[in-house]
Structure formats: structure tokens, C-alpha cells
Amino acid sequence: MGSVVYYVKADGKLSTNVSDAAALTGTEITGLTNGSTYKVEEYSTGSGAGGSAPTTDTGAKIDIGGNTKTAGKIETTTQGGRTTTTVTLNHNDISGILEGAAAGATITVPITTGADTASGRLDGQAVKDMEKKEAALVIKTDSVSYVLPASDINIDMISGKFGKNVSLSDIAVNISISKPSDATAKVVQSSASSGGFSIQVPAVEFTVSCTYGGKTVEVSAFNSYVERMIAIPDGVDTGKITTAIVVETDGSVHHVPTEVTLINGKYYAKINSLTNSVYTLIYNPLKFSDVESHWAKDSINNMGSRLVVSGVGGTNYEPSRSITRAEMAAIMVRALGLEPGTGTNSFADVNSSAWYCKYIETASAYGIINGYDSSTFGPNDTITREQAMTMIARAMNITGLKVSLTENEMDKLLGAYSDGTSASDYAESGIAACLKTGVVKGASETTIAPKSCVTRAEVAVMAERLLQKSGLI
């Protein structure tokens, strides 16, 4: 083991070298600079349980609109066998760059050191300046990129969590792409074993955190889909990338919308999600035995492989059976990649121990479903086509599938069918939106059948089309 050097850690960054500070390791000291509070940490200059002294380069490069700019410093540290490279962006540099940038600009921070964690750091005011410009920050490693619109950080809301009159420039915002810890990697592998699917690409963890005055707030949910791109390694069969999944700390998993795409001769998995977490790419081929000759066979098997729809009694799907309101809520939550259990259960007829309770909580929280009234949902009631189309139209607001309808256009879309006038008033706009986008078609060339029950096969097709039309798969 090499000699030991002690460094002062201020606001999460390693800074001034402190000599003869062994007795202070792990303790806080004050008064070094402007009365600020610092923490002394130990880094070994050789191998061992400590780490290495930080290396710093003041010439961090960023890319904006194809132009390379210098806008901060790069620092790499090693601790506990893991390396972290952090690019800290200078607020004044970012502000100057944004002044001449067009609205919607993308600032790309390349981090190609091969570190276990690649982080971009900037202050809250820089985030606010980017938000005003509708700009996005991209953290990009050799194999992963993370595209985060500044507005999705919601820095004003975050500031309020730290207290009143907090200066945005004093809030440190950190966006990271990490190789999961060994413990998390074991959870991912265990989830694959129990779920019956295979992992095709190692897991990646994405985090966004904001720190002020020793307090840290995690930004784990966003208002719109945030894009992540994971390079598919050479030698991995792209035909065996079914989807990406989120792996929770308890080992539970859920689908997130994923598309395999070819960019400049290299294949990537484009993942869109409304949350931060640990992601991995899986292969999960699934074929239901009772849909072999069914018209919706491909859509049902595709949605089943992606963990959006599930079978009934082993390998059967029961495609022609009418779907229940609880099943519909669950499929919509899974299709959109939402986390079950977000929100609360306000329905008296939804038992907290029922398999569908958490799905109904999330679907309600995101405005996808309503009850018959404030306390009644009817989870086991079958759902009609007009109810299903209303839910699909609400989900379009989440996926970003924009639909503009005039009153005349809506009347024309419904009037093209002999039973269009029989649709309920509340459902007319939702039905028209589904018809205009092509997410849902008529029950026949001449009918919508708004009051008829929707089948499990039809819902699988609706979910697939919603994701396809929204550009998510």
C-alpha cells in the first residue's frame, strides 16, 4: 500500500491538500475558507481499500450544436476500488454559451475515461438558465448517453425543498451514469433468474441529485419521457434485445419502452422512461399457445415478451375474453413503463392486498383512469371499447402523442361510422383522438361498437400501437 494523502472534501468536491490531518479523517472542520464546512477524507496513493489522489484537468470540453467549447474542469478519483470522473461545468461559461445558442439547444458533456461513474455537475442557476432556453444536458460515455431536458429537473421545486430564499447558484446538481455496485448487480442477476429472462447487456444506473447545505434531494421522476441510449456491444445479437427493464432494490422489475436503432453503423437501445433507476437489456421470447392462429398473434406475443401483457394459467392468453377494468389499468401502467404503487388508493372496492391495487394507484395518479365515482372503481367489471379508448387517449398525453381536434373534425371522424352517434358524450374526444392517430380502429369498416366489451387481444394491439405511434418502440 502506498503513502496516505489527506484531502479536504468541500461540497462534494475534493479540493485543498491538508497536511498533518490524520487525526481529522472522517470529521468535519470549519473556518478554512469563508467559514465553510469541510470534511476530510483519506485517499491512498497506492492500491488498497482507500483510493488515489484526484487528478484534475481544467480544460473540460463540451459540445453544443457541433461546436466544441471549454466550460469547466474534469476530476477523476478512486475510492474503494471504484473510479469516478466528474465534469464540473462553470456557471459563467454555460451562461455565455447559452446566450448565443438557439432555443432547444443540447449541451453534450463527453466523459470517456472509462470510470465506473461518469458525472456532470453544475449549479442550480445554470440549470435555470438552460431551462429558460429549453435546453437539454447530455452526459455521454463511450457506451451510454443520458439526455436530460433542464426543465425536467424542476429546479424551482427542488429549491423549495431546501427552504426559503435559497440561491439557485448554491445548489449543486449532479447527473450520473454508473456501473451498479456488486450488491445491486446480484439483485439484477437474481431478478433475471426468477423472471426467466436473460440479461444481454450489463446493468446501468442513472441518478440525478441536488445538494444544498448538507442535504441531498434525489430527482427520481420526470414530467416527460427522458431518453437513454445504451450501445449494444459487438457480438450481441440485436434480435435478442427484447426490451429494457427497471430493476428495483427489492428485485421487482418492470418494462420500459425500448427501441433498437442503428446510428452511424452502431446499434443502440433507445430507452424512454419517466423515472431514474437501474436499467438492463433483456431477451425474453414469449409465445402464447392459444394465439397461434389468432389475428393479433404478433402483437400479443410482442407485448407479452415485453412484460406488458401477461398470460392466464401458464402459456395461455385467452385473447377473445373480455378484459376487466383492473386488467386494463395494469396493461396501461406496464406499457408506459410506470412504477406500480405510485399514488394512493381512494377506491373502497379496491382491496389493498389485491394484485391490481398498485396498478390502479399508479393509473389513477397519472390521470389514466377514473372511477365510477370517488370511491368506486369496479375492478372486475368488463370494460367497453369507448372506456378503453378514453384511457388510451389520456395515455397519449403522457407519451407525447399530440392530437389536435376541431369540433368539425371530431364530428366527421365519428360520423364516418354508422354507430358514431351512440358514443357517450364523455368518450367522443377520446374516440376521435384514437381514430385520428390510428391507435384504435373501428370494430369493422362501418362500426365503432363503443358499448361493446373490448377483448384482451384488442387491448394488446392498442397498447402496441400506442407505443409505436408515440415513437417509443
Side-chain angles (χ1 to χ4, degrees):
M1 179 176 175
S3 60
V4 174
V5 180
Y6 295 90
Y7 285 85
V8 174
K9 192 173 185 180
D11 298 326
K13 296 175 287 187
L14 291 168
S15 56
T16 312
N17 187 347
V18 180
S19 60
D20 300 322
L24 296 175
T25 300
T27 66
E28 291 188 348
I29 54 179
T30 60
L32 290 181
T33 305
N34 299 325
S36 299
T37 299
Y38 297 83
K39 182 177 180 181
V40 176
E41 295 196 356
E42 175 183 322
Y43 288 82
S44 170
T45 59
S47 60
S52 63
T55 60
T56 302
D57 180 353
T58 57
K61 306 296 183 183
I62 66 171
D63 178 275
I64 180 165
N67 297 314
T68 301
K69 305 285 185 180
T70 300
K73 67 176 182 178
I74 308 172
E75 188 172 65
T76 299
T77 60
T78 301
Q79 182 71 0
R82 290 175 63 91
T83 56
T84 299
T85 295
T86 302
V87 174
T88 302
L89 302 178
N90 182 282
H91 178 196
N92 291 333
D93 290 339
I94 294 298
S95 296
I97 289 169
L98 287 171
E99 283 182 7
T106 297
I107 296 176
T108 301
V109 181
I111 303 176
T112 57
T113 61
D116 296 302
T117 297
S119 296
R121 179 177 293 146
L122 64 170
D123 65 43
Q125 187 58 55
V127 172
K128 187 65 179 179
D129 292 345
M130 290 180 65
E131 181 182 322
K132 291 176 182 177
K133 275 283 191 175
E134 300 179 354
L137 185 68
V138 181
I139 307 300
K140 186 176 183 180
T141 71
D142 291 327
S143 59
V144 182
S145 65
Y146 184 18
V147 184
L148 182 63
S151 59
D152 277 340
I153 296 175
N154 203 344
I155 194 64
D156 289 329
M157 183 272 290
I158 294 295
S159 176
K161 292 187 176 184
F162 291 126
K164 295 181 179 180
N165 302 318
V166 174
S167 174
L168 293 180
S169 61
D170 291 332
I171 300 174
V173 181
N174 202 70
I175 301 101
S176 296
I177 301 170
S178 303
K179 173 184 176 183
S181 66
D182 290 343
T184 300
K186 289 180 180 178
V187 171
V188 173
Q189 190 58 56
S190 177
S191 297
S193 298
S194 59
F197 47 80
S198 60
I199 295 171
Q200 298 300 98
V201 177
V204 182
E205 184 169 11
F206 299 88
T207 58
V208 178
S209 62
C210 300
T211 302
Y212 172 82
K215 179 181 178 182
T216 296
V217 174
E218 297 288 336
V219 182
S220 57
F222 306 109
N223 297 323
S224 59
Y225 281 97
V226 172
E227 181 183 290
R228 301 149 177 86
M229 299 280 280
I230 298 179
I232 299 174
D234 294 339
V236 174
D237 183 353
T238 57
K240 292 186 177 181
I241 303 294
T242 303
T243 188
I245 58 170
V246 167
V247 183
E248 304 292 355
T249 55
D250 63 357
S252 60
V253 303
H254 66 262
H255 151 272
V256 279
T258 307
E259 177 187 15
V260 175
T261 183
L262 182 64
I263 302 175
N264 296 326
K266 179 72 175 177
Y267 282 98
Y268 293 84
K270 182 173 72 173
I271 304 167
N272 282 282
S273 176
L274 292 162
T275 61
N276 270 331
S277 192
V278 175
Y279 296 79
T280 192
L281 301 176
I282 66 168
Y283 180 48
N284 184 46
L286 184 62
K287 294 182 179 180
F288 294 105
S289 58
D290 60 349
V291 303
E292 189 59 34
S293 59
H294 196 279
W295 65 269
K297 167 189 171 182
D298 290 342
S299 295
I300 293 170
N301 287 335
N302 183 27
M303 290 295 96
S305 298
R306 290 177 182 267
L307 309 180
V308 174
V309 302
S310 54
V312 178
T315 61
N316 290 328
Y317 182 69
E318 296 185 1
S320 300
R321 175 169 66 79
S322 297
I323 202 166
T324 67
R325 286 166 59 82
E327 288 175 321
M328 182 72 184
I331 288 173
M332 294 310 302
V333 168
R334 292 175 189 146
L336 298 177
L338 306 178
E339 182 181 354
T342 301
T344 58
N345 174 27
S346 62
F347 301 113
D349 60 348
V350 176
N351 193 302
S352 60
S353 63
W355 70 266
Y356 47 73
C357 180
K358 289 186 177 182
Y359 292 107
I360 291 174
E361 288 175 354
T362 296
S364 179
Y366 278 87
I368 300 170
I369 61 168
N370 290 323
Y372 295 126
D373 54 45
S374 59
S375 61
T376 307
F377 181 71
N380 296 314
D381 294 350
T382 54
I383 193 168
T384 64
R385 283 175 55 83
E386 67 177 9
Q387 289 173 338
M389 284 188 271
T390 299
M391 291 173 65
I392 292 285
R394 291 172 183 157
M396 290 180 195
N397 295 325
I398 300 173
T399 66
L401 185 56
K402 304 296 183 184
V403 185
S404 178
L405 285 167
T406 65
E407 193 74 29
N408 286 339
E409 189 175 13
M410 186 169 67
D411 290 342
K412 186 177 180 180
L413 285 163
L414 294 173
Y417 296 89
S418 61
D419 57 355
T421 57
S422 67
S424 300
D425 290 344
Y426 80 86
E428 288 180 349
S429 61
I431 293 172
C434 287
L435 293 174
K436 183 176 181 178
T437 58
V439 173
V440 183
K441 298 179 180 180
S444 70
E445 290 186 0
T446 59
T447 62
I448 299 173
K451 307 296 183 182
S452 298
C453 291
V454 69
T455 67
R456 284 170 53 83
E458 289 174 319
V459 170
V461 173
M462 291 177 187
E464 182 184 53
R465 285 186 187 150
L466 171 64
L467 296 177
Q468 289 172 338
K469 299 287 186 181
S470 300
L472 295 176
I473 64 172

